[in-house]
Amino acid sequence: MIPKNATALVFDSTSKTFESKAVALEKAEEGETVVAILYTTICTSDLHTYCGRRPLDSPTILGHEIVGKIVHLPTTNTKDYTNQELALGDWVTWCVYAYEADDPMAQKGYPQKSTSLYKYGHHPFHHQELNGGFATHCVLKKGTAIFKLDPRLSLKEIAPLNCTHATIAGGIRLAGSLANQTVLIYGAGMLGLSAAAMISTLGAKQVILCDLNRERLVLAKKFGADLILDSQLTTAEKKQILLESNLSLDVVIDTTGIPAVMEEGIELLSIGGISVWIGAVFNQPPTAINAEMVVRKLVTIKGLHNYIPEDLATAIQFLTRYHTRFPFEDLVSAEFQLKDLADAFETASAGEHYRVGITPTSH
């Protein structure tokens, strides 16, 4: 049954404050699914918005790494994206956007770039729409790819699925088969650890992770990294390590968005290598690419922003199968109640936690 009221913590980008708002929620529009939010994690992109690095029309309800429990199903659709039957009480996640299937960009294979796109955790709150994770409920629009979840997974494991893990699954899709490939991942944040774990299960020859933070590099070993590199090493020193290890670099996945790092990745790639850029999601200085190097080395550069629904399906399959192998649950190492969201963002901004979890005050 749909509750009469919900609570949302609404963010104002000018004052950088969160205000508790009561939202009437007595009925859903045709095709909409209503979920009670069980858990939300603060994503790095939420922090970009909070800190002013990424502009966003506010006020808005932030949060898109969400786990929900179905409290209302539309009569027109009772199956998830993979054709599993849905029922009241099911745990679900969903793509971070809704779209119309006949949109021209969706028809091209880029639903995340549809002109009809509706993004959760990003849409303005002007009409009091419950579309973000920092609330007690979320209303899923028609055109949202919903996925039923195995409740044996923990909320901490599940919450980042529809952002971190799905994005990495999309990056791997762009990279192609990684069997017997040597892969370098820049950045040992949650994206990088997810990439190392996922790639290590795909038959890669070597998984290399590069970062400035020594503690994160040590942790990367628990997430499938075979070799770790200090980012402070020069490009020449990194080349020497690869040479001494008899490794030829086939794929680079960048999660940092730092121009100098992306430039170095191109230089380290071997002939025919592929560089997948994921991290450049807010404005940075121009990236200087040596065009002759790209041409002579037959290098391919691919960018990914968000993902397609199939990537989320892949991520769910991965986590369901391998969650006991990799300690993803430990990456959510601080928790707050929804009413303390401002404190949670301050804690997350300090950078000491991979993820900070938010539990609603009511379901």
Side-chain angles (χ1 to χ4, degrees):
M1 178 182 292
I2 303 178
K4 290 185 177 182
N5 294 289
T7 300
L9 270 288
V10 181
F11 177 68
D12 181 83
S13 60
T14 302
S15 61
K16 286 180 60 174
T17 58
F18 296 93
E19 183 179 357
S20 181
K21 296 273 191 180
V23 182
L25 185 62
E26 295 187 18
K27 66 176 183 178
E29 300 296 329
E30 183 179 351
E32 291 182 340
T33 301
V34 182
V35 299
I37 295 175
L38 299 174
Y39 206 78
T40 306
T41 42
I42 299 176
C43 176
T44 303
S45 60
D46 290 319
L47 294 177
H48 290 331
T49 300
Y50 177 73
C51 296
R53 293 187 291 265
R54 188 181 66 173
L56 188 70
D57 189 4
S58 74
T60 190
I61 306 172
L62 296 175
H64 51 270
E65 294 186 344
I66 317 169
V67 186
K69 178 177 66 174
I70 295 174
V71 296
H72 169 78
L73 274 171
T75 57
T76 55
N77 182 21
T78 60
K79 292 186 177 182
D80 78 348
Y81 191 80
T82 62
N83 215 34
Q84 293 187 80
E85 287 288 343
L86 292 173
L88 296 181
D90 281 346
W91 286 17
V92 292
T93 188
W94 52 93
C95 282
V96 294
Y97 57 84
Y99 68 98
E100 296 175 3
D102 59 356
D103 186 286
M105 292 307 295
Q107 291 292 308
K108 284 185 175 182
Y110 307 116
Q112 72 271 45
K113 293 298 173 183
S114 298
T115 55
S116 60
L117 200 71
Y118 180 95
K119 292 191 71 175
Y120 295 100
H122 295 75
H123 203 71
F125 185 68
H126 302 315
H127 301 291
Q128 294 202 321
E129 294 181 58
L130 290 166
N131 71 349
F134 302 129
T136 57
H137 295 79
C138 189
V139 179
L140 307 186
K141 296 287 189 181
K142 182 180 179 181
T144 302
I146 301 172
F147 294 82
K148 185 176 179 177
L149 296 169
D150 188 336
R152 289 176 296 180
L153 296 170
S154 73
L155 294 173
K156 289 182 178 181
E157 289 171 328
I158 293 170
L161 259 173
N162 73 339
C163 185
T164 299
H165 302 315
T167 299
I168 289 302
I172 291 172
R173 170 175 53 82
L174 294 184
S177 174
L178 297 181
N180 204 35
Q181 301 284 288
T182 297
V183 184
L184 169 61
I185 303 158
Y186 280 112
M190 197 157 189
L191 281 168
L193 295 182
S194 175
M198 211 173 293
I199 292 167
S200 72
T201 68
L202 296 174
K205 179 180 179 180
Q206 283 277 304
V207 179
I208 308 168
L209 214 152
C210 184
D211 197 277
L212 285 168
N213 188 309
R214 183 66 189 176
E215 290 183 7
R216 291 192 168 195
L217 286 176
V218 171
L219 182 61
K221 290 281 191 175
K222 295 183 179 181
F223 286 87
D226 301 301
L227 176 66
I228 53 176
L229 293 176
D230 189 329
S231 291
Q232 297 183 79
L233 295 172
T234 66
T235 303
E237 289 171 329
K238 293 184 182 99
K239 283 182 177 179
Q240 186 61 32
I241 290 173
L242 291 172
L243 181 65
E244 291 174 355
S245 302
N246 195 30
L247 295 174
S248 178
L249 198 58
D250 302 298
V251 175
V252 169
I253 295 179
D254 175 73
T255 71
T256 71
I258 300 171
V261 174
M262 294 186 286
E263 292 161 13
E264 181 182 78
I266 299 297
E267 188 171 346
L268 292 178
L269 276 171
S270 60
I271 291 175
I274 298 173
S275 186
V276 180
W277 293 351
I278 293 172
V281 293
F282 61 93
N283 192 38
Q284 290 264 30
T287 303
I289 300 173
N290 185 322
E292 182 184 7
M293 185 186 300
V294 172
V295 170
R296 291 190 180 278
K297 289 171 61 175
L298 310 176
V299 166
T300 300
I301 302 172
K302 298 184 178 184
L304 178 74
H305 184 231
N306 294 330
Y307 53 84
I308 62 176
E310 287 77 9
D311 297 328
L312 180 50
T314 298
I316 292 170
Q317 291 170 1
F318 160 75
L319 189 65
T320 302
R321 182 174 180 181
Y322 293 107
H323 71 104
T324 58
R325 181 186 298 188
F326 306 109
F328 282 113
E329 184 171 0
D330 296 343
L331 299 184
V332 185
S333 50
E335 287 185 309
F336 291 81
Q337 288 191 339
L338 181 63
K339 63 183 178 64
D340 300 318
L341 188 60
D343 293 337
F345 264 81
E346 285 300 307
T347 297
S349 298
E352 297 177 2
H353 304 276
Y354 282 92
R355 283 294 185 273
V356 171
I358 307 299
T359 303
T361 53
S362 65
H363 294 159

